[in-house]
Structures are given as structure tokens and as C-alpha cells.
Amino acid sequence: MATHLHVCTPRDGWNWLMQGVALFRKRPADLFIFGNTYLFVILFVGILIPFLGAALVTLLTPAMAYGINLAGKMANSGLRITPATLFAGLGPDNRRYLNKLMMLGVAYTAGFAVAKLIAHLVMGPQPDIDLANLRNLPPEQLAQVTEFMMQSAALTILTTIPVILAFWYAPVLVVWHDMQPGQAIFSSWVAVWRNKGAFVIYGMGWLLLSSMLSGLIVGVFSLLGLPAALLGALNIMTLALIMAISLATVYFSYTAVFEHTDELAITGD
């Protein structure tokens, strides 16, 4: 089969953000609950269940990515979405694609593991300190540990970005374009690479908007002198709001690249 992609301008990356914001304003309640569901899966399943939780979330990420695109499509069509939409890729309507989505999940997990291994090898071993006694460390040791952790986190992000982008469109290409997992990953990477300018603006614009929104909300409530516990809860709510809006933008990056009249052909089996 042949799947066609459109090469967007860098400015289109900003348009994806604005379309997502407009969609959130159209369906705020549905998308906010949907975003909270995704955030719950990441934080509570991925973090609170040692090791297995993070592995499970990573394995299911392609299936949930399909649910995110489906939610955007449904909301854009005026249909109601629910938290269950996030897991639509695992449901009976998509049973024929389940094995392919799970294969994507395995490949995604392996890609993340390799990316983190590369970051670990580059950074080397963590400084030998007592993590349970951080408060009593000399300032120079604490600064060393802080610097190491920040550099390690930054390097991990840099090494995992190519993995994320390689799988950006892969789940919807498997379900909506009936591609095999390997061809879907290849096509996703080609699509992202050809539209790298739009993705740079998309990423930078999202960082700018999320920082401004978070800073505004937290700053205003901090000036009101609210208790620290309430500010913490508001921080989580702000994160959920940012998550909801960000998820609303994903579908529009797909439609701009794969549902446009100007075409380039990617031929698959």
C-alpha cells in the first residue's frame, strides 16, 4: 500500500498548538478528564509500582498513543470522549491490530532501554554518596550530586527524543493505514524528519506555552498567600491542564502530515 505524507512549513508546528488549544476550548471537560487519566497512568502506575510499573507504561505507550489520536479525532468531530478512549487500541474494535500494537510496545520499550543505557554509559557511575543523608552532605558534594543528576536527566531526554519521534505516528499508521510495525516505525521517522522544522517549532512553542501557563497560574495563587499544601495541589491540577491541552494537539500533527492534498508517497507492504 502507499501512504502519502505532506511536508509542512515550520509555521505549521505553531498551528498544531493553536488547533489543540481551540479543541480544548471546545471540549474542556472531556479533554481535562482524559488528560488526568493519562497523567494518572504515568504517575501512579509508572512511578509507584517499582520497575514493573515503568516497564508496563512504556510497553503500553503505543496503544495509548493511538487512543490519544482517536480522542483528538472524536473531539474534533464533536463526539464525546471518555477515559476509556485512551485504551481503545486494546479494545475489541481493534482486536486485529492488537498484536501489532504490542509489537510496537516491545520495540518502543527496547528503544527506551537502549537510549537510557547509552546515557548511563556516557555519564558513568553516579558519585558515591549516601542518598539517605543528603541534608548532611557538605555543600561541594551536594553541588556535585545535583550537577550529575541534572546532566544525567538532560542526556537521557536527548537520547530518548529520537525514539519518541520514531514512534510518533507509528500507532495510527498501524491502525488507520494497516501498516506492519516495522514499516510504521520507518514511515513515522521519515514523516518526522521531513517535517523537522515544524516539529522544532511545535516543541519550542509548547515549552513556551506550558511555562507561561504554569508560571501564571502558580504565580497568581502564590501571591494570594495560599498554604503550601494547597499550592502543591494546584501544581498538580496545572500539570493536568497542560497535559490535556498537549494531548489535544497530537491529532492535528497527524492530519497536517497524512491528510493533506500535497503528497509524497511512502510505499509499504
Side-chain angles (χ1 to χ4, degrees):
M1 62 176 291
T3 294
H4 300 279
L5 67 89
H6 172 66
V7 178
C8 302
T9 65
R11 182 178 178 180
D12 289 325
W14 181 258
N15 291 338
W16 304 343
L17 289 174
M18 294 299 98
Q19 289 173 304
V21 171
L23 182 61
F24 179 80
R25 293 175 62 186
K26 179 181 177 183
R27 312 282 301 189
D30 285 2
L31 286 169
F32 184 73
I33 295 172
F34 185 83
N36 268 276
T37 303
Y38 187 59
L39 189 62
F40 176 87
V41 172
I42 293 174
L43 294 180
F44 289 91
V45 177
I47 295 177
L48 295 184
I49 303 177
F51 182 71
L52 289 179
L56 180 62
V57 170
T58 307
L59 181 66
L60 294 179
T61 290
M64 291 191 292
Y66 167 72
I68 290 168
N69 279 276
L70 179 62
K73 182 177 183 178
M74 292 173 62
N76 195 48
S77 300
L79 301 176
R80 182 172 179 267
I81 61 173
T82 67
T85 308
L86 181 64
F87 309 103
L90 306 174
D93 292 342
N94 294 298
R95 186 170 298 165
R96 60 176 293 203
Y97 303 109
L98 182 58
N99 286 341
K100 293 181 181 180
L101 288 173
M102 288 297 97
M103 290 174 66
L104 285 181
V106 171
Y108 188 74
T109 303
F112 249 68
V114 171
K116 291 184 177 181
L117 177 60
I118 292 173
H120 176 73
L121 292 176
V122 171
M123 289 299 300
Q126 181 176 294
D128 186 18
I129 58 152
D130 182 8
L131 293 177
N133 197 31
L134 284 177
R135 291 184 178 181
N136 298 323
L137 284 179
E140 60 276 10
Q141 276 193 303
L142 184 58
Q144 181 185 9
V145 173
T146 302
E147 181 182 5
F148 178 88
M149 294 179 68
M150 291 179 65
Q151 290 178 351
S152 180
L155 186 58
T156 299
I157 291 172
L158 287 176
T159 55
T160 54
I161 284 177
V163 180
I164 294 172
L165 294 180
F167 286 81
W168 188 265
Y169 296 117
V172 289
L173 292 177
V174 160
V175 180
W176 290 343
H177 296 255
D178 200 23
M179 285 189 180
Q180 295 300 318
Q183 178 63 18
I185 296 170
F186 171 77
S187 299
S188 177
W189 178 252
V190 170
V192 171
W193 179 253
R194 289 185 178 272
N195 290 281
K196 52 186 174 295
F199 270 91
V200 169
I201 298 302
Y202 175 68
M204 293 177 62
W206 180 242
L207 286 175
L208 175 63
L209 286 179
S210 59
S211 298
M212 290 176 58
L213 180 61
S214 177
L216 177 63
I217 293 176
V218 175
V220 168
F221 284 108
S222 295
L223 291 175
L224 294 176
L226 297 179
L230 184 54
L231 283 176
L234 286 171
N235 277 329
I236 295 176
M237 293 294 288
T238 301
L239 179 60
L241 176 62
I242 292 172
M243 177 67 73
I245 299 174
S246 70
L247 298 183
T249 68
V250 173
Y251 173 67
F252 295 106
S253 75
Y254 163 78
T255 58
V257 174
F258 287 100
E259 294 185 359
H260 197 280
T261 53
D262 295 335
E263 301 173 337
L264 292 172
I266 300 178
T267 303
D269 296 330

